[in-house]
Amino acid sequence: MYPYRFSNMLIGYLNLGTLLASIPIIGAGLWLAKGSTATCSSILQTPLLVIGFVVLLISLAGFVGACFHVAWALWLYLVAIMLLIAFLLGITAFGFAVTAGGGGTQIPGRPYREYHISDYSSWLQHHMQDMKYWKPALACVVGSKACAKIENWTPMDYLQHDLTPIQSGCCKPPTACQYSGGMPVGAQDEDCYRWNNAADILCYQCNSCKAGVMEQIRQDWHKISVLNVIVLVALICICACGCCAFRNARRSLSEYPYGGSMVPW
């Protein structure tokens, strides 16, 4: 009986696991694409879907190639793995580059931070200034009802509780703003004049709101970048096993082309 080599069995089990894992990844991408308000940015949905489908196809090719000694499937698998590693390296480096900076400014005596557009990368600023991207992001902010959660807060609540980046930028005026009779007094930040207490206006047109969305994107991208690093390490290990399995599959075809059995150990 021809024994399975360890590398073939290992890569078969690894790819079966990643094959099953790709299903929730694709499902999460489809869920985000249908209107999740978790990130308020569509730029996170497409990479998630692409990675899910690519992992599904690569895992299927690797599983078939390793378990059934199909050399061409393993060759295709190794090429795809290497391309995926290069893609993840590129998108991870890009993610770290465009999300550099930010983090907000701690407000003295308050538990929350406030955010400014100028603290973020020029690419991210341009992305949010473009109405093609800002309109759906703003619609998401409004639809998330983040502001409704703090609409009944008292001044004491703002001294005791933290705010999300979106709540800090979109649901209130900048803390430094001064008002008299509901009207801004003197020369102040432009956002102080854009603020309106009406529930459908608030500070949705403020630069601080765009900065809050950018901060949320920055945080989400950093999480994805950390995940990408973990996936990269796993893919490199799988690729190493794949090279061994590919070598074994070719050897089994060249040494035993007619189904001859090996001498038992």
Side-chain angles (χ1 to χ4, degrees):
M1 182 175 124
Y2 183 84
Y4 276 110
R5 287 183 172 87
F6 175 73
S7 59
N8 293 62
M9 295 180 64
L10 177 61
I11 200 169
Y13 285 123
L14 285 174
N15 281 282
L16 178 61
T18 53
L19 183 77
L20 297 175
S22 68
I23 297 175
I25 294 174
I26 295 171
L30 292 173
W31 178 69
L32 285 174
K34 295 189 91 170
S36 168
T37 57
T39 62
C40 288
S41 178
S42 61
I43 57 179
L44 297 174
Q45 299 162 8
T46 301
L48 193 61
L49 285 171
V50 170
I51 290 174
F53 279 112
V54 169
V55 169
L56 174 64
L57 296 175
I58 290 177
S59 300
L60 184 60
F63 182 72
V64 171
C67 293
F68 297 99
H69 303 282
V70 181
W72 68 265
L74 276 174
W75 180 85
L76 180 63
Y77 164 81
L78 289 175
V79 172
I81 280 285
M82 292 176 185
L83 291 175
L84 183 57
I85 289 174
F87 171 76
L88 284 176
L89 280 172
I91 197 172
T92 301
F94 175 76
F96 278 122
V98 301
T99 57
T105 302
Q106 185 66 51
I107 304 301
R110 308 292 177 99
Y112 58 82
R113 293 174 174 267
E114 291 186 343
Y115 307 91
H116 309 278
I117 286 182
S118 58
D119 293 339
Y120 298 88
S121 68
S122 57
W123 183 90
L124 201 54
Q125 290 183 45
H126 177 75
H127 191 83
M128 281 294 103
Q129 295 290 359
D130 190 335
M131 294 304 295
K132 179 176 64 174
Y133 298 105
W134 174 241
K135 280 187 176 180
L138 180 58
C140 177
V141 170
V142 176
S144 70
K145 301 188 183 302
C147 296
K149 298 176 183 177
I150 63 171
E151 63 181 357
N152 294 321
W153 277 21
T154 65
M156 185 60 65
D157 288 320
Y158 285 94
L159 295 174
Q160 297 176 341
H161 303 292
D162 198 4
L163 297 171
T164 67
I166 289 176
Q167 288 174 332
S168 176
C170 305
C171 306
K172 67 172 189 60
T175 303
C177 293
Q178 298 180 357
Y179 296 91
S180 178
M183 299 297 293
V185 179
Q188 302 188 65
D189 189 296
E190 292 181 357
D191 285 348
C192 299
Y193 295 89
R194 295 189 180 106
W195 160 261
N196 191 298
N197 203 40
D200 59 339
I201 300 178
L202 299 179
C203 217
Y204 292 139
Q205 300 303 322
C206 297
N207 286 330
S208 63
C209 188
K210 294 178 179 178
V213 173
M214 286 192 282
E215 176 62 22
Q216 190 65 58
I217 293 173
R218 187 189 74 87
Q219 293 178 7
D220 293 332
W221 273 30
H222 277 194
K223 293 175 184 177
I224 289 180
S225 295
V226 172
L227 177 62
N228 284 346
V229 171
I230 297 173
V231 172
L232 275 170
V233 174
L235 285 176
I236 291 172
C237 293
I238 291 174
C239 187
C241 293
C243 290
C244 294
F246 179 66
R247 182 192 61 189
N248 291 342
R250 292 192 63 182
R251 183 180 299 170
S252 66
L253 290 175
S254 60
E255 294 180 358
Y256 305 96
Y258 302 108
S261 60
M262 294 177 60
V263 176
W265 294 101

